[in-house]
Amino acid sequence: MSKSICNLNLSLQYLLLMITLLLLKVDSRTHPGDVRVLKDLKHGLHPESIAPGSCLSSWDFSVDPCDHIFSARFTCGFRCDWFASGFFRVTEITLDPVGYSGLLSSTTWNLPYLQILDVSDNSFYGSIPDSLSNLTRLRRLSLSMNLLSGKMPVSLVSLAHLEELYLDSNSLHGSIPSSFNSLVSLKRLEIQENNLSGEFPDLGALKDLNYLDASDNQISAEVPSTLPVSLVELSMRNNNLRGKLPVNVSDLEFLQVLDLSHNKLSGPILSVLFDHPSLQQLTLSHNNFTFLQVPGTVGLTSKLIALDSSYNDLRGILPGFLCSMPKLSSLSLENNKFTGMIPSQYALKVAVPRSNSSSLERLLLGGNYLFGPIPSALMGLKPGSANVSLVDNCLYRCPDTFFFCQGGNQKSLVDCKKRFETVIPLD
């Protein structure tokens, strides 16, 4: 038995010796093709944009890049990994945000082992080159916060392993390619703050997509009804979306955050949003919604923590079911056309803590046509205890001695009377 152990030790020592010799035999550690791409990337930049002390200022190709990574000659900006082919390959390029300026098309991007490309927060300009489709192992592509223009290239759909795509904060225009529906590995898509237009495509096949931000564009038509059911966060604020909310929004069972503010949506705010099994934050401000549908559970099962439906065309009395939502702590209904008295349950949810329900830390009701006295439960509130505003209504008295009456007057009797006559026509 001792002889067997001895033979095993000799075998392990021989294996370690062979591995050491193999590594010592590697003279050119970085694959020549990868070196060529790194050279082209640096040489394609405007020299004055390569600031002293930046990553690219240290790239000195008189020595092997991967052999001198994190040294004085290649301080940062990329990563290398060794492969069985006998070469080190570049697997990550992450440039520091110092204002590098140039065209991304200055190189062929023939880096077959690259997994991460991040050149965000710089000054790259021109179009996104089709040659990025050569990065067949890419998992993360971040081109955010540059000066890129042109259209979103269809060629990106060949990146079958892409999980994260960041094209936000550029000047891209045109429509979103419908072929992006084939990026089946995608988990995060950020295309906000561009000039993208047209209808939003069907992305229902992206079963792993959990974050989508298409805000601050010019996307038109209706809210798409074929969204990935895996979405956790969806933001399409500040576009040109029209029409009503799709009823099948309830199919997005994992959705926690929904922001459709600053559009031209109309009709009802659907009851399914208040019965949703996971929705926590709902922002629908600055639209043309006219009423809130009462959920069958009257809000008792709602997971909503924050609701913002300000700056719409909501009418009628303040809906009582909103105060039955056990987790709701922020409610904004400012600048609508609500009438009637402020329900006592609104005041109680602000002023009286409950063991089984969250208190309202934020209640904004200004800019409506609410009348009558201030609920007594609000009278004892001290500044800083909650963010409450009742300005610009038709309340009987709302003196500045109450902090929630400060910052604006009540509407004139003439304006209030006109509104009441519209709601209840006088013979």
Side-chain angles (χ1 to χ4, degrees), residues 26-37:
V26 179
D27 297 322
S28 179
R29 299 172 69 85
T30 310
H31 191 280
D34 293 10
V35 176
R36 191 176 307 116
V37 172

Side-chain angles (χ1 to χ4, degrees), residues 16 33 45 53 139 164 172 179 196 199 201 206 208 238-239 263 280 297 328 334 344 350 404:
L16 290 172
L45 299 177
R139 291 187 293 105
E164 300 176 39
L172 303 175
S179 53
L196 300 172
E199 294 186 24
L206 306 186
D208 292 324
N238 198 24
N239 278 286
N263 279 288
Q280 299 177 16
T297 60
L328 192 68
E334 285 185 304
S344 59
V350 175
F404 43 78

Side-chain angles (χ1 to χ4, degrees), residues 80-157:
C80 300
D81 286 295
W82 185 81
F83 287 85
S85 60
F87 287 104
F88 275 86
R89 307 302 301 254
V90 176
T91 56
E92 177 180 347
I93 294 178
T94 299
L95 300 185
D96 43 340
V98 295
Y100 297 122
S101 177
L103 296 169
L104 290 175
S105 57
S106 63
T107 181
T108 62
W109 294 108
N110 188 19
L111 295 171
Y113 290 88
L114 195 72
Q115 298 178 25
I116 297 174
L117 174 59
D118 187 343
V119 299
S120 59
D121 202 6
N122 279 290
S123 298
F124 287 97
Y125 59 91
S127 59
I128 300 174
D130 289 334
S131 54
L132 289 178
S133 62
N134 293 331
L135 306 174
T136 53
R137 285 182 171 85
L138 202 65
R139 291 187 293 105
R140 182 172 184 245
L141 174 60
S142 181
L143 309 179
S144 305
M145 294 181 285
N146 279 284
L147 304 173
L148 299 171
S149 56
K151 297 185 176 182
M152 295 174 64
V154 177
S155 56
L156 292 181
V157 302

